[in-house]
Amino acid sequence: MPFSNIDLASITGWLDSAATQQWIVGILLILLFISFIREWLPVEITALAGTAVLMLTGILTTGDVLSSFANSGPLTVVCMFILSASLERTGLIGDLSKLFNKVAKGREFAALLVITLGAFAVSPFVNNTPVVVILMPIVLAFCRDHNIAASKLLIPLSYATILGGTCSVVGTSTNVVVLGQVQKLGFEGIQMFTVAPMGLIYAAAGLLYLWTIGRKWLPSRPTLSTMLPGGIQRDFLLQVRIPAGSSHIGTTAVDLMQSELLGTKIVEVRRRGFSMQEELQHITLEEGDRVLFLCNARKVNQVREAKGVDLGWDDSRGLEAMEQRDVQIVEGMIANNSEFAGQSLAELKLRQRFNIFVLAIHRQGRNITDMGSDTKLIAGDTLLLEGPQEGMNRILTKQRIIPLSQRSADAHNRSKQGWAILAMGIFIFIGLLGSFEQYGEFFKFFARFNPFYLAFIGALIVVISGCIKPKEAYQSVDWGIIFLILGMLCVGEAMSKTGLAKAIAFGVVDTMGPMGCLFAISGLYLLCSILTEMISNNAVAAVMGPLSYEMALQFDANPLPFILAVMFGASASFSTPIGYQTNTYVYNAGGYKFKDFVKVGLPLNLLLWAIFTCTIGWLYPLK
């Protein structure tokens, strides 16, 4: 047998050696980072594939993986998504639009102040990604109404939520992931607002920068709807029937569009109550067929005036008017967990399924109006959609499309606002009391309720009280982020188990030891900040969390400043639109180019790095 001479015992022994396992984990880590940057696969699939490799090589056991999956970090993030969704469903966050419009009064700088302060105030207690998703339509509507470039406000909106998220351990998933990692290693010195002193100084510097220097560097760029030639016209959805004896019987739907319906777009042909799924050029019209088409207001009026009857069609033209409905033109963004991501327009069949047309696509700073049926959509694409209200509602609510037009208040469950306020009040108040445990037994009692307990209780309250339905709660969670965190937690576990994290920490101490503990903390922050601009902030947090704790032990120092270096460094994604999800969302919605983030965000990154380095030793003891 060709395999009889293979010494399996030697191979197993080689795989079980500490040095081999460290090399495997190190090489795997590099490959994961390259895959994240090159986007060979969705990031969550890449992370889970890394976990599978670690299991196949025997580095992680089933128990190790299940232990990582039971980490409180991703479970806390799930609860925060549900809490955030409840605030949206009850209209609490949406009510900010009233204050926003009242205070801003059409002034750009006033709008900048209000939107950044409002986003900053909410973000320590609500996951910052939903905050941006909810506030984007408000900002875009305000900009359209007052002829202000949305690009002047959307980058500040994203940056303000990132800055606000650093003021508590639950404001950003980055902090939650790091917290779960170090708690597993035995460090229990972080409460809900332990990070607040640094976060407030950090955020104050960032906001002042946005209001002064950064404001001058913000570009003035058009959004998708204003980039279309000829602007946007209001259209109508019309329906006509092919009566007996019509001259159009036996012709195709395309022939009809090119003759009687010139200048319109046929949406659908219905026959005996069923929608014809074939391409229009292959549909031969029959008696009784109903044809739905889009027609702008000018065309409707021209036909009406020409014939003197409603909609202008009479039996002499072989068409009988049946129906007239308004259609909407809506901007929407493809979410990370949308079924649209990765599919072509032909595969989606939007016309057949929803009576929806895609007028244009905005992707990474460029506008695509000449897309074909083979054009594939990716997460983050902004679409300009046209179609009837019922189809638009289905596509926005069920297909994971984030609407960038202002949402209707009718969708809010306002009668349950009191329960949502109660849940958030308990969450914030008990968390705040627990942060003062050093001041006596009274406060120490509340310190036992860690962020996961509080988030879980809050999520349970809003679901039981009816603020959000169970199905809506499941749908509110971005499961791609959760699986990314779970996969990278397993990689972090492998780094700790094989001793790779400790070996790297030894190397750092040997190199930076003579320069001092503060130099190492500053370098750790800078490394995390650079990495998070290229790959997911959660991936950086999961990998660097255990490393920061090991570095502190090797320096015989207080672990907290090292841990905070990872929390703040991994959240400091300002220079690119790809490191942080909120940046990705505003990137397409605001019509930005990649260089806009570099121009505005790189100076902010350097400023915050300097502030962190200068203040960390003053706020938290290094030894």
Side-chain angles (χ1 to χ4, degrees):
M1 296 292 291
F3 299 105
S4 59
N5 295 325
I6 296 177
D7 189 350
L8 294 179
S10 298
I11 295 176
T12 302
W14 178 75
L15 286 174
D16 289 341
S17 68
T20 300
Q21 291 187 345
Q22 287 182 10
W23 273 104
I24 292 174
V25 175
I27 293 172
L28 176 64
L29 197 59
I30 294 172
L31 291 176
L32 288 176
F33 282 1
I34 293 174
S35 180
F36 288 149
I37 295 171
R38 301 297 299 272
E39 297 181 345
W40 291 332
L41 291 170
V43 289
E44 65 273 16
I45 301 301
T46 299
L48 292 175
T51 300
V53 171
L54 293 171
M55 294 181 68
L56 289 172
T57 54
I59 295 174
L60 291 183
T61 65
T62 302
D64 294 329
V65 174
L66 293 178
S67 175
S68 296
F69 278 27
N71 188 290
S72 64
L75 297 176
T76 305
V77 175
V78 169
C79 294
M80 291 307 301
F81 271 119
I82 295 173
L83 271 173
S84 302
S86 73
L87 298 183
E88 177 193 359
R89 297 293 192 277
T90 56
L92 285 170
I93 296 181
D95 286 345
L96 289 174
S97 62
K98 298 178 181 178
L99 176 64
F100 176 62
N101 287 303
K102 182 178 180 180
V103 176
K105 296 181 179 179
R107 296 168 297 178
E108 181 185 316
F109 183 66
L112 177 65
L113 289 175
V114 175
I115 199 65
T116 51
L117 287 174
F120 166 75
V122 173
S123 294
F125 317 111
V126 180
N127 188 283
N128 48 19
T129 300
V131 173
V132 170
V133 169
I134 294 167
L135 294 182
M136 268 198 306
I138 297 171
V139 173
L140 289 168
F142 173 84
C143 291
R144 282 193 295 268
D145 292 342
H146 298 93
N147 197 28
I148 296 173
S151 56
K152 291 289 187 180
L153 298 178
L154 288 181
I155 277 182
L157 168 62
S158 177
Y159 287 3
T161 60
I162 295 174
L163 294 170
T166 62
C167 293
S168 79
V169 296
V170 296
T172 168
S173 56
T174 306
N175 290 357
V176 176
V177 171
V178 176
L179 178 64
Q181 288 279 59
V182 298
Q183 283 181 339
K184 188 175 180 180
L185 294 173
F187 184 74
E188 298 290 344
I190 301 179
Q191 297 298 329
M192 178 83 78
F193 295 104
T194 301
V195 298
M198 173 59 75
L200 291 172
I201 295 175
Y202 196 79
L207 292 176
L208 285 174
Y209 167 83
L210 289 174
W211 296 338
T212 54
I213 301 173
R215 178 191 172 208
K216 297 178 181 178
W217 291 340
L218 288 168
S220 179
R221 300 200 185 281
T223 55
L224 179 58
S225 58
T226 60
M227 293 169 71
L228 287 177
I232 299 298
Q233 295 179 325
R234 185 185 181 198
D235 281 11
F236 296 93
L237 180 69
L238 307 177
Q239 181 180 171
V240 296
R241 186 172 68 90
I242 307 296
S246 171
S247 60
H248 300 294
I249 295 175
T251 64
T252 67
V254 173
D255 293 334
L256 175 64
M257 185 170 60
Q258 292 176 345
S259 56
E260 303 297 346
L261 305 182
L262 188 63
T264 68
K265 289 178 290 190
I266 292 182
V267 175
E268 180 184 36
V269 177
R270 295 176 183 171
R271 181 171 297 163
R272 302 180 186 90
F274 295 96
S275 174
M276 304 291 290
Q277 298 298 311
E278 296 87 347
E279 294 295 328
L280 294 177
Q281 63 267 28
H282 299 144
I283 299 177
T284 301
L285 298 176
E286 298 180 3
E287 178 186 342
D289 284 352
R290 299 189 181 193
V291 181
L292 280 79
F293 60 94
L294 292 174
C295 176
N296 64 51
R298 181 181 300 177
K299 178 69 176 179
V300 172
N301 290 332
Q302 287 176 350
V303 175
R304 179 185 294 121
E305 292 171 2
K307 297 298 178 181
V309 295
D310 188 30
L311 296 180
W313 281 280
D314 55 29
D315 290 341
S316 65
R317 301 185 69 183
L319 298 171
E320 179 181 341
M322 296 291 297
E323 181 182 1
Q324 172 181 334
R325 283 180 283 166
D326 285 353
V327 299
Q328 299 176 329
I329 295 179
V330 174
E331 287 184 68
M333 181 180 296
I334 298 178
N336 286 347
N337 52 356
S338 172
E339 73 165 52
F340 285 15
Q343 296 198 58
S344 68
L345 295 177
E347 292 169 333
L348 291 172
K349 296 184 177 180
L350 299 182
R351 180 185 63 80
Q352 294 92 331
R353 295 168 61 193
F354 306 102
N355 293 339
I356 296 293
F357 281 99
V358 178
L359 300 181
I361 303 171
H362 186 75
R363 177 182 298 164
Q364 299 178 356
R366 60 192 182 94
N367 192 44
I368 306 172
T369 55
D370 57 346
M371 63 278 183
S373 60
D374 59 344
T375 300
K376 284 190 176 292
L377 303 178
I378 62 175
D381 279 354
T382 298
L383 309 180
L384 195 66
L385 305 170
E386 182 181 41
Q389 182 175 354
E390 60 270 24
M392 202 67 72
N393 289 339
R394 285 194 295 132
I395 203 172
L396 293 177
T397 58
K398 302 296 184 183
Q399 310 302 319
R400 303 288 186 173
I401 301 294
I402 300 170
L404 300 182
S405 301
Q406 197 160 4
R407 300 184 182 189
S408 170
D410 296 338
H412 298 319
N413 189 5
R414 296 184 177 276
S415 63
K416 302 293 184 178
Q417 281 189 352
W419 286 104
I421 293 172
L422 174 65
M424 288 304 299
I426 293 174
F427 177 71
I428 295 170
F429 184 66
I430 295 180
L432 185 61
L433 291 177
S435 298
F436 297 99
E437 61 176 320
Q438 67 270 28
Y439 294 107
E441 292 298 324
F442 174 78
F443 296 104
K444 188 175 292 185
F445 170 80
F446 294 99
R448 71 179 66 185
F449 300 104
N450 64 36
F452 168 67
Y453 291 157
L454 297 176
F456 178 74
I457 292 171
L460 201 59
I461 289 174
V462 297
V463 172
I464 293 176
S465 64
C467 294
I468 183 172
K469 298 177 182 178
K471 185 177 181 180
E472 293 175 333
Y474 304 143
Q475 293 175 343
S476 69
V477 179
D478 190 335
W479 294 105
I481 290 179
I482 302 304
F483 284 113
L484 167 64
I485 294 172
L486 291 173
M488 293 310 297
L489 285 175
C490 292
V491 175
E493 172 67 18
M495 290 181 63
S496 298
K497 184 178 180 180
T498 61
L500 179 61
K502 186 174 292 187
I504 295 174
F506 271 124
V508 172
V509 173
D510 289 341
T511 304
M512 297 184 175
M515 303 177 192
C517 181
L518 181 60
F519 188 87
I521 293 172
S522 179
L524 180 62
Y525 175 103
L526 181 61
L527 176 60
C528 291
S529 182
I530 293 172
L531 288 176
T532 202
E533 298 292 6
M534 298 184 290
I535 62 176
S536 164
N537 57 310
N538 291 306
V540 174
V543 171
M544 301 302 290
L547 179 60
S548 67
Y549 186 70
E550 291 292 346
M551 284 179 61
L553 295 182
Q554 298 307 317
F555 271 103
D556 193 24
N558 177 14
L560 185 57
F562 288 84
I563 295 169
L564 294 186
V566 176
M567 286 185 171
F568 283 84
S571 294
S573 176
F574 303 107
S575 299
T576 71
I578 59 177
Y580 212 95
Q581 195 172 28
T582 58
N583 287 350
T584 304
Y585 283 156
V586 302
Y587 177 34
N588 290 285
Y592 294 110
K593 295 183 178 180
F594 193 97
K595 65 180 181 181
D596 296 331
F597 283 84
V598 178
K599 184 177 181 179
V600 180
L602 182 57
L604 180 58
N605 266 347
L606 296 175
L607 171 66
L608 294 178
W609 174 43
I611 289 175
F612 182 90
T613 302
C614 294
T615 57
I616 186 67
W618 173 58
L619 294 173
Y620 306 92
L622 299 183
K623 293 290 185 178

